[in-house]
Amino acid sequence: MFDRLKAMLIKEFIQVFRDPRMRIVLFVLPVLQTVIFGYAVNMDVRNIPTAILDRDNSSESRQLAATMTSSGYFRITNHISSDNEAQALLDRGTVRVVLNVEHGFSQRLQRGETVPLQVLLDGSDSNTAGVIMGYLARLTTDYNISIRSDYSLRHLGQTLSIGQVELASRAWFNSNLASPPFYVPAVITNILFIITMLLSSMAIVREKELGTIEQVIVTPIRKGEFILGKTLPFVLIGYIDVILISLVGMLVFDVPLRGSLWLLFFATTLFLMSSLGIGLLISTVSQTQQQAMMSAFFIIFPTMLLSGFAFPIENMPQPVQWLTLLNPLRFYLVIIRGIFLKGIGIAVLWQQLAALTLLGVSLLGIAVLRFRKTLG
Amino acid sequence: MIIQLSSLTRCFGSLTAVDNLTLSIPEGELFGLVGSDGAGKTTTMRMLAGVLDYTSGEAKILGCNSRDLTVVQGEIGYMSQRFGLYPDLTVAENIRFYADLFDVPAAERIARTRRLLTFSGMAPFTDRHAGRLSGGMKQKLGLCCALIHTPKLLLLDEPTNGVDPVSRRDFWRILNDLRKEGVTIVVATAYLDEAERCDRVGLLHNGRLLACDTPQNLTKLVKSNQRAPSLEDVFVELMGEQELAVPQPSIPQPAEQQPGAEASSPAVSLEQISKHFGNFIAVNGISLTVPKGQIFGFLGPNGAGKSTTIRMLCGILSPTSGKGSVAGFDITAEPERIKENIGYMSQRFSLYEDLTVEENIAFYAGIYRLAPDKRSERTEWVIRMAGLTERRSSRANELSGGWRQRLALGCAILHEPSIIFLDEPTSGVDPLSRRRFWDLIRTLARGGVTVFVTTHYMDEAEYCDRLALIYRGELVAVGTPDELKKERAVDGVLPSLEDVFIGLIEEHDRT
Amino acid sequence: MNLRRLKAVAKKEFIHVLRDPRSLMMGIGMPMMLLFLFGYALTLDVDRVPLAVWDQSQTVESRELISRFSGSRYFDLVLTTESYGRIEEAIDRREALIALVVPADFARSLSRGKKAVVQAIVDGSDPTTATIALGYADATTAGFSGDVSMKKLRKQSVQSTKFPALDLRPRVWFNADMVSRNFIFPGLIAVVMMIMAAILTSLSMAREWETGTMEQLIVTPVSPSELVLGKLAPYFCIGLLDLLLCIGVGEFLFDVPLRGSLVLLTVLSMLFLFGALSFGMLISIITKNQLLASQLGIVTTILPAFLLSGFIFPIENMPFPIQIVTHIVTARYFVFILRGIYLKDVGIGMMWPEVLFLAAFGVIVMTVAIWKLRKKID
């Protein structure tokens, strides 16, 4: 019963692993990718390079600079003396913020006046700029409160109680707002998608391009056996990569695995039906590996970008949001993040699991029906 | 001297492919290189062309060291065994591309292209994409591309493999013209009748040059007292000693009797079968019957529709119209049942080049579900039959063309099918192996196996029980070799099959 | 270098591309798709963050704080509730991303001049959005806090007029409206061109090896440089077309202002394109295998262009070793140049090191590619 399948599998494994470079591509690169993702993808804004144009040069102005540095958000990298310098630093992108302390800063504060603090901000990266504005607002308020209580103590001789509001924030699921727990599951989904979909379609088309398929299709091998034989190796490689990436995530980046491992594997299997279905469909419409690769990329990019891995789906326009309902990666991502970060189970995820099943069964079904054991 | 080789040696790992080859070829000579499969013909040609470096010795081509031929590259024409055509370029575009690379002046290019296209019979197909040509036509297009410029030295590696006799004759006419222009030509070939037309012939065996002389002098080497020994006899004589015993094939089991398939039903029967590719009619209303146990030869020029017909019979291409059955099963309704009962060897090598000989055999043994106890026996049989005992763990892409063909045949009959379809099984195979090949085929036929074979070798056609000639998708003649000859006999003298073949085609063209 | 041979190779390659609708799709359709995705569908702008509130205090002060949040363009009050359970549920279901809990003693603490602590619960699973949302919440609270303390001071002090204050006057340069599209778009040009270049070229040479056309090519007088440059030509043209399309779409559809010089932009893009195409070609020459080349292409060009170029994820935030790695990512320099020209109108004087790097990269990679393309079959 399994003779033919076994023969196919042995052949496929020999072909895939004969080239040592292929082994690297299949097992080392996903890990490397995880590490880069884990470290590189970080929106935490700290140590913002800041220049200060201090025309006052007083203890008050120095104290202001010290307050900023001690907050941990800003790092004074340049002390400059002219507007031209400020312009050049911002142009070059060396600093993101320039503090402009006017002459007479300390005297006017001592007189109890309201002193403008001019800040130049590089707004090119609007998100970072927004965060920096928030930090500045917070710091100014703190600074104001401290100078006011100083002032009242000095001039009125009394300690004033100044009411203030503090925000005590608590992040659920990912208490220190670290990036890896969010992105490592996404790397799993992306790599799994690329390997199973792209490689399996290319491996099938390779037989067409090199002509070897002609000898295979005159044998009594069944369509199902051929398809399974071509795809199972990549499924297996996919599972190994899921395990590898999860291990790296858990050991190197402290990504928690809160939910059930079995559910993870179950969802992965459901997802593989979709991704292999797409891969098979591509192979039915391609004659050369180049065509297969291009068709695959045409699907990979929108599928990945519209999966919510970095760009929240809620922010997309409504029609695009509807479109994402056809995206198996979207559901798989929600499931896998849910399992890793939130430890939620079938009770919460049943909708996503159902959607994934529906997509998988229909994609794989169409692909298998369309797959023909004939030439041309 | 155009080519001067001294002690040229090339090793691949532990294998010495070319061993101490010393040879010089003067200007204007037509030199033939013959030898058994894996003798080192292609390796030698590649070193001459400068695409492969030699391990030791020296090779001077047009006065240059063959390791770096940059200076004289424009003077060398080379046609590799697997000529690289661009499938998405048309015939004309492929030729134009090579003309530009060799800087052929426009006027010359146009004249030459016209001439080449006419000789090869490809003129009607100039706008067809190369990927849609038949195997033989691709070979011809490769030749046209290689001949588009006038080099000082022309290197041809088995240029006429799979080319029909008519075109081969025209091809040699062109080579003769080129020789008159003073072009030095080295041609590696498996056809000994071609070698006989060369000025000198070198006989390679296991990487060594066994003999090198004019064809006339070579035939004197034959010790047996034959009246007019041919080069083939020389070949057999010199190589004979090395010949391995041909393993006797086990007699295959008669095909299982299926309900509905009567014992007396023919192995293959076709009724008005046609295949269209778009506007192009590849096969046009062919009807045929092949009884069981017969060797049926399928002849025809390149592009006549032979491969298309075979593919329809094997169930991998569905016919546009008509009916047919193989082993009692309908070719449109039950292709999968057919596949269980047949063996097929395609024209293009279609085993896995990145798998070894053994791995390829093991793969097909698994696919055909050979019983575990039979598996090793059949594997050994195939390896011995193909003469690959020493190369069982070589990868298929390291094998020479002839060896690959033998391995492919082995994989096709591994499961002892009752009907075998062979699409040009012997193209590029050396004469000795071809003889063994046909011994094997006849043994199989005696055991009740039906063999459906296409070939361009007329001597092989003689071995067939019956022949069919197709041309431009139509059946031109069917009969035993003798019947066909008698039909065209002039004054009681029987013509050769080649003449019959050419005569029938010319006649068909006229009507 | 023979011009006719170069032309012959280029022409052949053009035919390959033109005959294969998918290559054209890839070369032109894909960049368009990415542009539209990033232009319309994908945004990193964090605004209208869904907010849930549990006001335990129910006082004028607490309501004022909440109105500061709901009035801001960054928050969208979707839920007022009176239980933790409901907040938990809302966050679990992603109905709300952030929840504020104003304590019962909020107003009392303020009137006593004590610190009032407002609790903010945020869904941390997307740390990027969460960080930004918290930043806004922090700033909003700080603003409220500053006003409250000022009021308090005024009430307490006898001299009602003067108190020192620092008045923050931020001025945003380059992208004054702080629209993320203006930031993403220039970087997107680099990513699009990198993807296009890598995918189209990485298979081209490997394919000739796999299908056997290479053996025939290398015995013709065509030199490695003619072969490589000829093969690049059509992709270079597609790349330029992509560039024009990108600029056009940015200008007319997305209103991304181009402050700098169009000529400089085009010239430097050509420089980058040359390097990117050469790199794809080098991959193809080294691997000789299409399956492998495709994977290597993804990992060495597309991923770095997305992740390590600063296109979305700021390089300054990366750990030092990764920052070092980014220095060999050409896309990084091109992203920098594009943003400089698009947003800041800087000239070549400001970014000559980057330009120099791109030029050197292109020349070196091309030289290596030509050198690696040995006209031998082993």
Side-chain angles (χ1 to χ4, degrees), chain B residues 363-419:
Chain B
F363 172 63
Y364 280 101
I367 293 289
Y368 281 116
R369 291 178 168 168
L370 286 188
D373 49 323
K374 268 202 118 175
R375 209 168 272 196
S376 57
E377 178 205 322
R378 293 299 293 167
T379 306
E380 282 315 307
W381 181 81
V382 167
I383 288 180
R384 269 193 303 143
M385 185 275 292
L388 288 166
T389 317
E390 284 161 34
R391 318 229 30 190
R392 57 196 310 154
S393 37
S394 301
R395 283 192 216 168
N397 58 4
E398 294 165 358
L399 298 180
S400 74
W403 268 340
R404 290 185 193 192
Q405 292 295 99
R406 281 146 58 162
L407 176 61
L409 178 73
C411 288
I413 58 176
L414 190 66
H415 58 300
E416 305 172 272
S418 63
I419 304 173

Side-chain angles (χ1 to χ4, degrees), chain A residues 132-142, chain C residues 138-140 142-143 168:
Chain A
I132 295 174
M133 291 255 258
Y135 292 155
L136 285 171
R138 170 96 249 165
L139 282 174
T140 320
T141 309
D142 289 351
Chain C
D138 222 15
T140 312
L168 184 67

Side-chain angles (χ1 to χ4, degrees), chain B residues 239-268:
Chain B
M239 310 277 175
E241 304 122 46
Q242 277 94 2
E243 189 180 348
L244 298 151
V246 182
Q248 278 303 307
S250 50
I251 305 297
Q253 310 298 314
E256 264 174 67
Q257 287 303 312
Q258 304 291 340
E262 286 155 40
S264 58
S265 70
V268 175

